Amino acid sequence: MNNKKITAFLYSTGNGQGSILARKLIAHELVEKIIFLSNKNDKEIHASPNEILIKNIFSSLVVDELLNRTKTDFALFVFDKNQIEINTQAIFRLIKIAETYSAGITFSDYKILEGEIFKSNPLIDYQYGSVRDDFDFGSMVLISTDLLRKYSNELGELTCSGFYSLVLFASRNSVIKRIPEWLYLQKKSTDKIHFEKLFEYVDISKKDIQIEREKVVTDHLKKIGAFISNPSKLIEINESSFKYEASVIIPVKNREATIADAIKSALGQKTEFEFNVIVVDNHSDDKTSSIIKSFNKKDPRVIHIMPENRTLEIGGCWNLAINDERCGKFSVQLDSDDLYLNDETLKKIISKFYQEKTAMLIGSYKLVDFQLNEIPPGIINHTEWTDTNGSNNALRINGLGAPRAYYTPLIRQIQFPNVSYGEDYAVVLEIIRNYKISRIFEPLYLCRRWHDNTDSQLSREKENENNWYKDFIRTDEILNRKKGGEGNK
């Protein structure tokens, strides 16, 4: 029988002294002590000896208290606001796996009880490149005291990034291990719907959090040798072999309700240069193909490409377009269910390329419903990107904005991975390792949010798949940066 002991820290809302979890842990032979974390106001009663008053459960204060109050081998940190049930063997299992892998942080899958329905809630493994600040550890993690002691030398004052900083430290100095087993039950999911989570980071009220976490990830990248200074390599735009100055590229499959609007938006651009619209129709089986063909008959600028086989994802469709001999000098994104804000967008994008000799440009957009009415949070301009540190902060966040536009000779060298999620993120990370990227912070694009969006109503499994892939991309990028050595610093 394992004789290791733990100190349990429970966030008291839903998991207070009278909760099922507290009673279970108090009676457990491996739990030496329970400490409750509370967010009571200062005007309320003072904390009891086994209670800590906090403002933010993820602050460095909490991490410091974990260290100071833990006299055992491990700290069990529960930070969910809803009640959790854990079976007796779960504690033994957490400790056993932690010791087997010498893990600093150990977490597990769990189940959710919603009404009378039990739902599996699998998580994903922590990768070397899982440096984003929203990695999901579930509601309960086991932290080794040895890790806390090592981290104490680096602990600074962080309002809301203490746990994030600890995780990055663990990734440098220890093992972060997921147990693919259901070790506890959470009553009622606290997850926000995907739409809310997708744009949470652009909330202006959380700007201070974004700045603090950018500092944390930047420090981490410096310590692992993956930090790069602002890339200053410019593009010499002297290609004369292109018939068209620009191509608006629209990958599409089964968008009969929106593809006509998208093509009209592209054709309606007013420019002093020649451009075309390349629509890569990935074997649509609704009316999308016939709609594209009708535009092609009326306007030769509309180029309709159908892949030879059915193995291509969005990234593969992009590769077809950029490698086509009719592609312009600049390749400009337009999603099949979105629109440019006005008829000046394309001209504004191409002008920026010449002004700044940039390899790539990322714009901003406005969220609208299907009828094009603005919806919250409105304009998405990714101001967390900065010229001075955007190339590093890009590894922390999940999105960088739209529309995206590329200098075609360069993007032909790089190519897109053949996936339908993260293909753009992958090429952005590769470009910013060496080249300057330009930003336009005013909206250029109307992004429709409707039931048929590719990121609408994602299942847990699909969300995990997407997050795992982007973490894989981050890992690949970090390893490539480290190979660059001093040249990246």
Side-chain angles (χ1 to χ4, degrees), residues 212-224:
E212 183 178 273
R213 292 187 177 173
E214 178 177 356
K215 291 179 180 178
V216 171
V217 76
T218 300
D219 179 64
H220 171 71
L221 294 174
K222 288 179 178 178
K223 287 175 178 174
I224 64 173

Side-chain angles (χ1 to χ4, degrees), residues 316-381:
C317 291
W318 261 93
N319 289 336
L320 270 186
I322 62 175
N323 291 313
D324 192 285
E325 62 181 8
R326 295 163 291 185
C327 186
K329 189 185 301 182
F330 301 98
S331 304
V332 186
Q333 172 205 6
L334 181 60
D335 288 344
S336 59
D337 46 8
D338 298 331
L339 309 168
Y340 289 138
L341 184 67
N342 55 46
D343 57 15
E344 299 289 319
T345 297
L346 189 58
K347 181 169 67 175
K348 187 175 295 185
I349 289 172
I350 303 308
S351 175
K352 192 78 167 178
F353 272 102
Y354 283 98
Q355 288 172 11
E356 302 190 2
K357 295 183 178 180
T358 187
M360 176 181 176
L361 181 139
I362 303 176
S364 304
Y365 56 93
K366 182 187 295 185
L367 285 177
V368 296
D369 61 20
F370 193 80
Q371 287 73 38
L372 307 186
N373 301 304
E374 183 174 342
I375 58 176
I379 295 175
I380 308 296
N381 54 16

Side-chain angles (χ1 to χ4, degrees), residues 244 246-249 274-278 300-303 326-328:
Y244 296 97
S247 289
V248 175
I249 295 177
E274 294 291 321
F275 73 92
N276 60 18
V277 182
I278 301 178
R301 292 180 299 168
V302 178
I303 298 171
R326 295 163 291 185
C327 186

Side-chain angles (χ1 to χ4, degrees), residues 99-110:
E99 290 197 295
T100 298
Y101 290 89
S102 299
I105 294 177
T106 309
F107 64 107
S108 76
D109 296 348
Y110 61 99

Side-chain angles (χ1 to χ4, degrees), residues 57-83:
I57 195 169
F58 299 115
S59 69
S60 56
L61 169 64
V62 172
V63 177
D64 191 41
E65 290 291 351
L66 288 176
L67 174 63
N68 293 336
R69 303 282 188 113
T70 303
K71 309 303 179 186
T72 54
D73 302 285
F74 296 95
L76 183 69
F77 189 30
V78 180
F79 48 85
D80 193 84
K81 293 184 178 180
N82 290 287
Q83 284 198 356

Side-chain angles (χ1 to χ4, degrees), residues 44-221:
E44 298 185 54
I45 60 172
H46 294 292
S48 62
N50 65 337
E51 185 178 29
I52 304 171
L53 297 181
I54 59 172
K55 290 185 178 180
N56 190 306
I57 195 169
F58 299 115
S59 69
S60 56
L61 169 64
V62 172
V63 177
D64 191 41
E65 290 291 351
L66 288 176
L67 174 63
N68 293 336
R69 303 282 188 113
T70 303
K71 309 303 179 186
T72 54
D73 302 285
F74 296 95
L76 183 69
F77 189 30
V78 180
F79 48 85
D80 193 84
K81 293 184 178 180
N82 290 287
Q83 284 198 356
I84 291 172
E85 291 185 14
I86 185 169
N87 64 60
T88 302
Q89 293 303 311
I91 301 294
F92 291 104
R93 189 64 172 157
L94 281 167
I95 293 177
K96 182 177 181 179
I97 297 298
E99 290 197 295
T100 298
Y101 290 89
S102 299
I105 294 177
T106 309
F107 64 107
S108 76
D109 296 348
Y110 61 99
K111 289 193 176 183
I112 294 174
L113 177 60
E114 293 186 347
E116 300 297 323
I117 301 175
F118 291 89
K119 295 183 178 180
S120 298
N121 202 74
L123 301 178
I124 59 175
D125 293 332
Y126 191 95
Q127 300 181 56
Y128 184 64
S130 299
V131 296
R132 54 191 168 92
D133 59 13
D134 63 349
F135 187 90
D136 188 1
F137 289 93
S139 301
M140 183 170 64
V141 297
L142 187 72
I143 307 172
S144 74
T145 306
D146 181 57
L147 175 68
L148 291 170
R149 289 197 191 101
K150 291 177 181 177
Y151 178 67
S152 64
N153 295 324
E154 294 193 16
L155 183 63
E157 290 190 19
L158 297 170
T159 304
C160 53
S161 309
F163 184 72
Y164 177 48
S165 176
L166 174 64
V167 168
L168 294 183
F169 178 85
S171 73
R172 298 193 300 269
N173 297 279
S174 184
V175 174
I176 299 176
K177 186 63 181 176
R178 165 182 163 250
I179 304 175
E181 301 166 9
W182 322 109
L183 295 190
Y184 60 96
L185 173 69
Q186 176 180 293
K187 291 187 175 180
K188 186 182 177 182
S189 172
T190 57
D191 281 350
K192 297 180 179 180
I193 62 172
H194 184 74
F195 175 81
E196 291 178 307
K197 290 193 292 183
L198 191 61
F199 298 105
E200 189 173 38
Y201 60 91
V202 299
D203 186 346
I204 191 64
S205 68
K206 298 181 179 180
K207 184 176 181 179
D208 290 344
I209 297 176
Q210 296 295 324
I211 293 173
E212 183 178 273
R213 292 187 177 173
E214 178 177 356
K215 291 179 180 178
V216 171
V217 76
T218 300
D219 179 64
H220 171 71
L221 294 174

Side-chain angles (χ1 to χ4, degrees), residues 382-415:
H382 289 270
T383 54
E384 72 279 356
W385 173 277
T386 63
D387 284 338
T388 56
N389 198 42
S391 54
N392 296 295
N393 197 34
L395 286 164
R396 179 183 66 88
I397 57 181
N398 262 337
L400 296 169
R404 293 169 292 277
Y406 311 89
Y407 181 53
T408 301
L410 178 62
I411 197 64
R412 280 176 173 173
Q413 295 175 31
I414 293 174
Q415 300 289 303

